[in-house]
């Protein structure tokens, strides 16, 4: 989605031209997969982290343009809401001290952004959903000034043809309507990228899908929206609903949602791109001048701009990525299931668990997806989003089991084996995976800490919900800056 567009009214001719061009790109991509040399010699990783800005009263601060202008750092960019920023960490190998390098760079980058934010009377919070957000914050006028967001909003709302309904039933229930995609800006995530070879992409994507529910249960950090306690990871439900282009009639017909878990295991990355083209009408039908067939025949590397743009408007929880770096094309699995926070070390522990486990499963002689029905993987995902570490999920040879019990006994040893294959230094491996083990032992991830703090503030301090949420978020920010993992945070 990283392409800016000018305000434009798309014509029928634009849509026809785009559809033809994106199918031409798809044909060229198929040819490239057959006999093109992709950069896949070493498994490079990447992290994207979405950040929230709050003011001294723990309210969202609509100041990203000012902070970015003062920061002047290309690793940071806007996100959908004016209270969001995105940090793109430099891609790297995780072998040896790679995780320590990530931690140093991310902390330094956030430190620079925090310094600029302080000058704008704001501070940075790493959290899945800001608990102090209200409907008055999530309105069209608070979208970032980047024109692509406004164009995307116009196209989604037009495709829907009516206001977007939000109906999330959790511990409490939220029912409301919105006339824009602004509520989606409440969803702040951390995204993991893993570069893979074309012939192993399907194995890695299938493995990532298999463990998505486990990841969400471990890392849940979004229990509140509009003052209500909903799911442990409410971000999942909110993102699915806030960008849904389907009115009720199309839902009833089984039309696929643009925020999509998928519906089957795959045999090639081509399956995913082909599904995107076959099932989803274009939202931003913008064409460029490249003829991908001519570029390929002349020995060049096609940008496949239309195919990549279209792929960016289908919000798979594990998304396929085609990209070009230093003139060489490569493929990545982009894992998008986790919220930001609570701390940098917590996010790196989540990354270590993901990278290690997905590699071990992808390289297994008996693939997990040959034993796990796809529908069960999707059920696991939503069960974990609702209940976090307490969720019961289905896992082959173990049946229905709590995530907090499955992970230490079954999955952490496999994550450790996968990290060994990456060549991660043992002390970094053990340090990060111990954080995951301790979360499971204590039952305290970000969502559990947030709800316990609010409960204590309401019952022991006699605070109302709004005041309790502000109190909790202020304390959250203080503890986040210690970089102590969330399982050690006190309830006070």
């Amino acid at each position: 989605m990283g392409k800016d567009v000018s305000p434009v009214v798309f014509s029928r001719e634009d849509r026809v031209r785009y559809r033809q061009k994106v199918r031409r790109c798809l044909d060229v991509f198929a040819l490239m997969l057959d006999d093109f040399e992709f950069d896949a010699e070493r498994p490079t990783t990447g992290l994207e982290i979405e950040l929230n800005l709050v003011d001294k009263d723990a309210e969202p601060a609509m100041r990203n343009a000012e902070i970015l202008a003062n920061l002047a750092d290309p690793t940071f960019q806007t996100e959908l809401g004016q209270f969001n920023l995105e940090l793109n960490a430099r891609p790297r190998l995780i072998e040896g001290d790679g995780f320590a390098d990530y931690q140093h760079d991310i902390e330094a980058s956030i430190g620079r952004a925090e310094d600029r934010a302080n000058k704008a009377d704001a501070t940075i919070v790493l959290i899945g959903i800001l608990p102090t957000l209200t409907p008055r914050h999530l309105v069209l006028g608070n979208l970032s000034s980047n024109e692509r967001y406004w164009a995307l909003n116009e196209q989604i709302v037009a495709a829907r043809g009516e206001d977007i309904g939000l109906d999330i039933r959790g511990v409490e229930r939220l029912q409301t309507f919105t006339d824009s995609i602004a509520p989606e800006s409440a969803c702040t995530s951390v995204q993991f990228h893993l570069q893979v070879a074309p012939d192993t992409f399907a194995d890695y994507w299938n493995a990532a899908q298999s463990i998505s529910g486990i990841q969400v249960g471990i890392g849940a950090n979004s229990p509140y929206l509009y003052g209500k306690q909903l799911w442990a990871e409410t971000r999942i439900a909110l993102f699915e609903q806030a960008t849904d282009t389907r009115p009720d009639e199309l839902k009833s017909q089984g039309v696929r949602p643009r925020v999509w878990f998928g519906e089957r295991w795959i045999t090639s990355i081509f399956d995913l791109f082909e599904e995107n083209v076959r099932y989803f009408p274009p939202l931003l039908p913008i064409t460029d001048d490249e003829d991908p067939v001519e570029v390929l025949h002349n020995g060049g590397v096609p940008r496949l701009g239309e195919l990549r743009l279209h792929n960016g408007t289908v919000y798979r929880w594990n998304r396929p990525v085609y990209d070009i770096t230093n003139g060489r094309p490569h493929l990545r699995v982009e894992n998008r299931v986790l919220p930001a926070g609570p701390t940098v070390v917590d996010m790196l522990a989540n990354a270590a668990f993901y990278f290690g486990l997905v590699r071990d499963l992808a390289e297994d002689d008996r693939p997990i997806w040959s034993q796990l029905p796809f529908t069960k993987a999707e059920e696991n995902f939503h069960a974990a989003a609702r209940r976090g570490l307490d969720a019961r999920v289905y896992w082959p040879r173990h049946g229905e089991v709590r995530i907090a019990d499955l992970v230490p006994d079954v999955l952490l040893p496999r994550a450790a084996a996968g990290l060994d294959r990456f060549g991660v230094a043992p002390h970094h491996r053990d340090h990060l995976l111990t954080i995951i083990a301790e979360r499971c032992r204590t039952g305290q991830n970000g969502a559990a800490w947030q709800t316990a703090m609010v409960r204590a503030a309401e019952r022991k301090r006699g605070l109302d919900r709004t005041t309790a949420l502000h109190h909790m978020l202020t304390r959250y920010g203080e503890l986040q800056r210690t970089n102590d993992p969330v399982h050690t945070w006190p309830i006070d």
Side-chain angles (χ1 to χ4, degrees):
M1 265 304 300
K3 182 174 181 177
D4 290 348
V5 297
S6 299
V8 63
V9 176
F10 298 116
S11 67
R12 295 179 182 179
E13 290 76 15
D14 291 330
R15 295 185 184 280
V16 170
R17 187 183 310 112
Y18 182 86
R19 181 173 285 108
Q20 293 171 343
K21 187 70 178 294
V22 79
R23 290 184 179 278
R24 191 171 178 86
C25 287
L26 186 65
D27 291 341
V28 168
F29 186 56
L31 294 173
M32 294 177 69
L33 290 174
D34 285 339
D35 56 15
F36 210 85
E37 183 178 352
F38 286 80
D39 187 5
E41 296 163 4
R42 306 183 77 186
T44 302
T45 67
L47 271 72
E48 298 177 49
I49 305 170
E50 295 169 355
L51 317 171
N52 288 284
L53 300 168
V54 299
D55 62 21
K56 60 182 177 57
D57 297 318
E59 294 275 312
M62 308 296 172
R63 297 169 195 156
N64 66 358
E66 175 185 354
I67 292 166
L68 283 170
N70 292 331
L71 189 58
D73 183 341
T75 62
F76 285 91
Q77 60 187 36
T78 58
E79 255 298 327
L80 183 60
Q82 292 182 26
F83 59 95
N84 304 139
L85 298 173
E86 182 176 90
L87 166 62
N88 292 282
R90 179 178 57 82
R92 72 198 68 207
L93 303 172
I94 56 173
E95 67 181 20
D97 296 327
F99 280 110
D101 292 341
Y102 263 131
Q103 181 164 342
H104 178 269
D105 284 358
I106 292 169
E107 289 177 347
S109 295
I110 292 177
R112 292 194 302 273
E114 178 78 352
D115 178 69
R116 300 306 189 275
N118 291 165
K119 289 179 170 59
D121 297 320
T123 190
I124 289 172
V125 176
L126 302 166
I127 198 166
I129 294 177
L130 274 179
T132 55
L133 284 166
T134 68
R136 68 182 173 84
H137 298 122
L138 300 180
V139 295
L140 184 61
N142 284 337
L143 293 189
S144 293
S145 58
N146 190 320
E147 291 169 345
R148 68 183 168 108
Y149 300 132
W150 290 78
L152 186 63
N153 173 79
E154 181 180 329
Q155 294 302 305
I156 288 178
V157 172
R160 177 71 177 239
E162 60 190 31
D163 285 353
I164 298 170
L166 303 178
D167 187 357
I168 305 174
R169 308 181 192 199
V171 177
E172 299 167 348
R173 185 178 182 183
L174 172 67
Q175 285 182 291
T176 188
F177 287 88
T178 175
D179 61 359
S180 75
I181 64 169
E184 194 273 315
S185 64
C187 303
T188 42
S189 65
V190 58
Q191 296 145 34
F192 304 140
H193 290 255
L194 180 59
Q195 184 176 316
V196 295
D199 59 349
T200 61
F201 183 95
D203 294 340
Y204 276 88
W205 187 87
N206 289 340
Q209 289 284 98
S210 301
I211 65 171
S212 292
I214 312 299
Q215 290 180 268
V216 169
I218 291 170
N221 194 29
S222 312
Y224 294 100
L225 176 64
Y226 292 173
K228 294 183 180 292
Q229 183 183 348
L230 301 170
W231 295 8
E233 189 49 39
T234 304
R235 193 183 111 265
I236 301 299
L238 177 59
F239 192 34
E240 289 177 341
Q241 296 183 24
T243 54
D244 198 344
T245 58
R246 305 168 303 162
D248 290 343
E249 294 81 2
L250 293 185
K251 294 178 188 178
S252 298
Q253 294 172 33
V255 172
R256 294 159 180 85
R258 294 194 89 98
V259 178
W260 197 29
F261 189 81
E263 59 191 19
R264 63 184 175 117
W265 306 119
I266 65 168
T267 58
S268 167
I269 186 175
F270 186 81
D271 295 347
L272 301 178
F273 280 100
E274 193 273 336
E275 284 180 349
N276 288 354
V277 173
R278 178 154 44 104
Y279 294 144
F280 299 100
L283 288 179
L284 300 175
I286 304 162
T287 56
D288 61 30
D289 294 331
E290 179 189 74
D291 182 342
V293 174
E294 181 179 346
V295 172
L296 184 65
H297 285 170
N298 290 336
V301 180
R303 294 191 305 273
L304 306 182
E306 292 79 10
L307 186 66
R308 292 162 69 185
L309 178 60
H310 187 59
N311 185 54
T313 63
V314 179
Y315 304 102
R316 295 179 183 269
W317 292 109
N318 286 288
R319 177 187 277 168
V321 176
Y322 166 85
D323 207 351
I324 302 169
T325 303
N326 298 323
R328 296 190 66 186
H330 68 263
L331 306 176
R332 303 194 304 269
V333 177
E334 180 188 15
N335 179 256
R336 301 159 48 82
V337 306
L338 284 174
T343 65
V344 171
V345 74
D346 280 309
M347 291 187 292
L348 290 175
N350 292 339
F353 179 76
Y354 168 73
F355 288 133
L357 184 57
V358 80
R359 178 158 187 177
D360 191 70
L361 293 176
E363 296 180 359
D364 198 348
D365 291 335
R366 188 182 179 198
I368 190 68
W369 53 95
S370 70
Q371 310 163 59
L372 178 67
F374 193 91
T375 54
K376 286 293 185 183
E378 185 172 13
E379 289 171 9
N380 289 348
F381 180 66
H382 287 100
R386 287 184 174 92
R387 296 184 55 82
L389 279 168
D390 287 332
R392 297 186 68 84
V393 296
Y394 174 81
W395 197 254
R397 296 191 296 277
H398 295 273
E400 298 287 334
V401 58
R402 286 177 69 244
I403 289 176
D405 297 326
L406 176 69
V407 170
D409 297 337
V410 179
L411 300 184
L412 278 181
R414 301 200 65 170
L419 292 176
D420 288 342
R421 289 189 180 133
F422 277 110
V424 174
H427 61 286
H428 295 312
R429 174 201 66 202
D430 294 344
H431 169 60
L432 294 172
L433 294 186
T434 295
I435 291 172
I436 302 297
E438 286 298 294
R439 266 191 234 157
C440 293
R441 183 186 67 81
T442 62
Q444 183 163 293
N445 57 15
W449 182 88
Q450 288 189 54
T451 55
M453 277 288 290
V454 170
R455 191 179 306 117
E458 290 176 333
R459 295 178 181 177
K460 296 179 181 178
R461 296 172 180 257
L463 303 181
D464 61 34
R465 175 62 62 82
T466 299
T467 308
L469 288 171
H470 283 75
H471 167 75
M472 179 271 286
L473 184 58
T474 298
R475 184 68 173 132
Y476 182 105
E478 295 168 354
L479 292 168
Q480 173 196 294
R481 285 184 280 279
T482 69
N483 204 31
D484 294 333
V486 70
H487 72 265
T488 67
W489 289 10
I491 308 298
D492 51 22

